[in-house]
Amino acid sequence: MAYETTDQLIAEVADHSNKKKDTVFYQLLDSYNSLLEKISDENMKKLRSGVAFSKAKGTTLDLIGQDYKAYRISDDDETFRFIIFLHILISRAQGTIPSMVKILGTALNAKPEQFKVYKTGLRHVGIEIPWDNVQTLQMQKFIIKNIQNLLAMGYWIDEIVFVTTTKLPLLRWHGYADQTSQNRAIAR
């Protein structure tokens, strides 16, 4: 619905004009306003579906990105959607290690158990991130560049390790030492 109704538009007209509904002037404004209402209703439907973050693309995604101060690093909408999503999550960061793991897990669609945070020194940590959930090289670069923003000041991330898992057949190995103390492994 438009911001102003026909009655509101008529009320804005000078007092000397006839404001009754059966006048030509009222009907003219009503036909004009009904088209504006229709355009407004159609645009709201488009806006609601376009602003749906998961469906937005192109310029609409750029406008959403501007709201969160996120900027494109490539033409790929999926990567940009990830960056915007991470900006939204970063804005909610508490600065703690559990908060960082939760945010990364949500952003990468991974379980918190898939991340490993370990101490490398006093107020210094390292983190292992599942590579299988990082979809593009741009996402990896963005994570590396911005992961420090998830922690409070005074904590430092010294290492970021992307870990991948591959299912391999289990082989059984036996080893023995010969006279020259060289280790040899034999597959059986």
Side-chain angles (χ1 to χ4, degrees):
M1 184 170 149
Y3 177 72
E4 296 166 334
T5 63
T6 303
D7 291 327
Q8 289 171 332
L9 287 172
I10 289 289
E12 296 296 325
V13 178
D15 285 332
H16 65 277
S17 300
N18 191 350
K19 300 176 187 176
K20 295 182 181 176
K21 291 187 179 189
D22 61 344
T23 63
V24 175
F25 184 69
Y26 184 92
Q27 291 171 0
L28 177 67
L29 279 180
D30 191 40
S31 63
Y32 171 75
N33 194 43
S34 65
L35 291 174
L36 288 178
E37 285 181 9
K38 183 178 179 184
I39 292 170
S40 179
D41 291 342
E42 289 173 5
N43 284 343
M44 283 306 292
K45 288 178 186 174
K46 287 180 184 176
L47 186 64
R48 284 188 185 124
S49 66
V51 173
F53 185 66
S54 60
K55 295 179 183 177
K57 51 186 164 179
T59 307
T60 306
L61 203 57
D62 291 336
L63 292 173
I64 295 170
Q66 284 179 355
D67 289 342
Y68 294 101
K69 295 186 177 36
Y71 302 99
R72 283 188 182 270
I73 56 174
S74 72
D75 291 334
D76 182 29
D77 282 344
E78 286 304 314
T79 301
F80 190 45
R81 188 173 286 111
F82 170 78
I83 290 170
I84 294 170
F85 187 55
L86 206 54
H87 272 270
I88 293 168
L89 293 173
I90 287 172
S91 70
R92 298 177 185 157
Q94 297 172 350
T96 63
I97 291 173
S99 171
M100 176 185 69
V101 170
K102 183 178 179 184
I103 287 172
L104 283 172
T106 303
L108 295 175
N109 198 20
K111 296 176 183 170
E113 301 85 41
Q114 292 178 279
F115 297 89
K116 181 181 176 188
V117 179
Y118 49 91
K119 287 188 174 188
T120 58
L122 182 63
R123 300 184 68 83
H124 289 254
V125 295
I127 184 167
E128 291 183 3
I129 299 172
W131 175 254
D132 300 338
N133 296 76
V134 179
Q135 297 173 359
T136 64
L137 182 62
Q138 287 86 8
M139 285 182 184
Q140 178 193 16
K141 289 178 181 179
F142 186 81
I143 290 169
I144 291 170
K145 184 177 177 186
N146 292 287
I147 195 169
Q148 184 65 47
N149 297 336
L150 294 174
L151 286 178
M153 291 179 67
Y155 273 100
W156 293 99
I157 298 176
D158 292 333
E159 299 175 348
I160 301 171
V161 180
F162 290 90
V163 179
T164 186
T165 56
T166 305
K167 293 184 179 182
L168 296 173
L170 180 62
L171 297 176
R172 191 169 168 192
W173 292 84
H174 295 281
Y176 65 93
D178 64 5
Q179 294 175 346
T180 60
S181 299
Q182 294 177 347
N183 290 332
R184 297 182 185 178
I186 301 171
R188 296 193 183 209

